Amino acid sequence: MTAPTGSVLLAGAVARLRAAGIPDPQRDARRLLAHALEIAPGRLTLVLPEPVPPAAEARFAAALDRRSAREPVSHIVGLRTFWGRDFRVSRDVLDPRPETETLIEAALSAPYSNVLDLGTGSGCILLTLLLERSGTAGTGTDISAPALAVARENADRLGCDGARFVLSDWDTAVEGRFDLVVSNPPYIAEAEMPGLAPDLAFEPRGALTDGGDGLSAYRAIARAALARLAPGGRLLVEIGPTQARAVSAIFAGAGLETVAIRPDLDGRDRVVEARVAAPGT
Ligand SMILES: C[S@@+](CC[C@H](N)C(=O)[O-])C[C@H]1O[C@@H](n2cnc3c(N)ncnc32)[C@H](O)[C@@H]1O
């Protein structure tokens, strides 16, 4: 019997993922077929008319089983592209999100030399900021040792020498001052967790929610920023779209002044930028 072509397998896969309720079955099926064939996604169209070897067909079937059970594509292929670079991801880290690139854009809009990333996860924020500006260095903290192992692997893979990673409750195990402090903390309120998309069940709970009102990390980060920011330094945090006012109020109460609230590409509030308030303000 001749092996089925890529086109035939793809058509069946799209139908299967659609029936499983996957939001963009065509995109996911193509990405998974490229992974099974061990080729770059951009080459898939070229090879679709060719027969798929049995081993690749078996890998594709296994990948479709996992995706149908709502496991994220990034976990199945083990990689997620963020700001143009491929980051290793696993169940131990948050899957880097496109909206977090808003924070990167904000950080790159001004100079920095020494960065502290609180809750670094895969390391995607810290490593991107260091790789985009030569001569910079930085520290990433996380309360999860398995997450830090992924961040270190990404630093090695991407050849980022200036990054160090520290097991720490926010900044408690960190010394010194930084001219840029960044964080994308867990900001989903416990009460909102049951309504989330099924794919989020594959991500670490401690990366998604603080188990409370979704704002407790910002209280800790405000204290950390006051202790860690060098004079004139900037604090940039990612927020949920409804949290700008509450986070600014937390920052103001701690002695930080909000200087900008930046939207993501969908126009939703996504990043709060703050600095230490001048005396008397
Ligand atoms: C939303 S994820 C962000 C990961 C990564 N920075 C990103 O943007 O993809 C939040 C991260 O904060 C970490 N975290 C949660 N509580 C923490 C704490 N008390 N101290 C340090 N890190 C913490 C989680 O383990 C998780 O890796």
Side-chain angles (χ1 to χ4, degrees), residues 92-97 100 117-125 141-144 147 168-171 183-187 204 206-208 238:
D92 293 320
V93 296
L94 186 88
D95 192 355
R97 301 291 202 274
T100 301
D117 178 16
L118 300 168
T120 198
S122 64
C124 62
I125 297 177
T141 73
D142 210 289
I143 203 157
S144 158
S168 177
D169 184 1
W170 303 123
D171 70 322
S183 185
N184 173 21
Y187 54 67
L208 297 171
E238 180 168 322

Side-chain angles (χ1 to χ4, degrees), residues 230-246:
R234 293 184 294 156
L235 168 64
L236 291 167
V237 295
E238 180 168 322
I239 58 166
T242 61
Q243 292 174 320
R245 189 188 293 242

Side-chain angles (χ1 to χ4, degrees), residues 211-233:
D213 64 357
L215 294 166
S216 62
Y218 299 105
R219 300 182 184 103
I221 289 166
R223 284 191 295 275
L226 278 180
R228 298 291 149 224
L229 274 177

Side-chain angles (χ1 to χ4, degrees), residues 7 14 28 46 72 89 97 123 144 177 179 193 207-209 264 272:
S7 301
V14 171
D28 290 2
L46 277 177
V89 294
R97 301 291 202 274
S144 158
R177 300 251 175 192
D179 56 12
M193 289 296 286
L208 297 171
T209 180
D264 61 23
V272 173

